[in-house]
Amino acid sequence: MAGLFESAGGGSAAIALDEFEVSILRTLEVQMLELIGPGPGGQSEDPLAALFAEGPTEAPQDPALARLFPDAYGEPGEPADADTRAMSGEFRRYTEVDLRARKREDALAVVHALDGLGEDGGVLEIAGDDCRHWLGAFNDLRLTLGSRLEVTEEDEQGLYRLPDTDERKPLVMAYIWLGELQETLLEAMAG
């Protein structure tokens, strides 16, 4: 997969994607939308109800969702005392609905852009304002894949040495590619 971002000037970026790359990115983003879900109470058409919607107070049980929506207080992976759990629950209650909405917005921006490109691929130019959606979407995908692969700083290099017969290899390849996309997008925005 050779499609990486290049600067298109003014903080925008361009990337040439073949049909295979378009299919992979679109599939991953659709799966991300399914994972994130509509949030508590579904998606309301009433803007006033949405404004006052409260989120959950408990951390998600799914490790990938827990990585996407981490507790605000305490150390990751460490048991929290009752006060820390209560503070994290209150913070989550007032922020998770908006965070889920932003993550859905990021994933949808990528899906819509890819749909506009068509099945055969081509060159996609992303305006500077839309680049942040793509960065957020790539970050969320990498966090999710990293959680599913149980990636830690100590063993990340081991991912590069997995044998082709390892069932995790396709996810690892996607994880690495998304990292390259994220890095080159940042460079394109700056350049």
Side-chain angles (χ1 to χ4, degrees):
M1 291 183 248
L4 297 174
F5 286 96
E6 295 179 10
S7 177
S12 62
I15 186 169
L17 296 169
D18 64 27
E19 62 188 76
F20 184 63
E21 293 165 327
V22 169
S23 176
I24 290 171
L25 280 176
R26 189 177 192 296
T27 298
L28 289 172
E29 290 300 346
V30 168
Q31 290 175 353
M32 178 59 65
L33 288 165
E34 292 170 359
L35 178 66
I36 293 169
Q43 295 201 23
S44 173
E45 296 297 320
D46 180 4
L48 187 60
L51 181 64
F52 292 105
E54 291 184 6
T57 58
E58 297 292 324
Q61 295 300 309
D62 181 329
L65 284 173
R67 187 71 177 104
L68 290 172
F69 306 106
D71 281 332
Y73 301 99
E75 293 296 319
E78 298 291 323
D81 61 34
D83 289 338
T84 303
R85 283 193 307 276
M87 289 186 313
S88 289
E90 280 300 295
F91 185 83
R92 178 180 303 283
R93 185 172 123 195
Y94 294 111
T95 60
E96 189 169 312
V97 171
D98 290 337
L99 187 55
R100 278 183 188 270
R102 196 202 79 226
K103 290 179 182 304
R104 276 192 299 278
E105 186 180 311
D106 291 346
L108 282 171
V110 173
V111 169
H112 290 255
L114 293 171
D115 286 349
L117 191 58
E119 291 179 10
D120 297 331
V123 176
L124 181 63
E125 188 165 328
I126 303 165
D129 293 342
D130 292 330
C131 286
R132 76 168 185 82
H133 291 297
W134 284 70
L135 283 174
F138 291 154
N139 187 61
D140 291 342
L141 285 172
R142 281 183 47 85
L143 287 173
T144 301
L145 288 173
S147 175
R148 296 287 190 240
L149 293 166
E150 298 178 350
V151 174
T152 63
E153 287 182 34
E154 296 81 36
D155 72 354
E156 187 168 356
Q157 291 302 313
L159 294 177
Y160 294 97
R161 294 186 290 276
L162 283 179
D164 290 342
T165 56
D166 192 306
E167 64 185 22
R168 299 173 296 165
K169 188 72 171 197
L171 291 179
V172 169
M173 296 302 293
Y175 178 81
I176 292 168
W177 181 51
L178 288 165
E180 292 172 351
L181 290 175
Q182 195 174 23
E183 183 178 339
T184 58
L185 179 54
L186 280 169
E187 290 170 357
M189 291 169 64

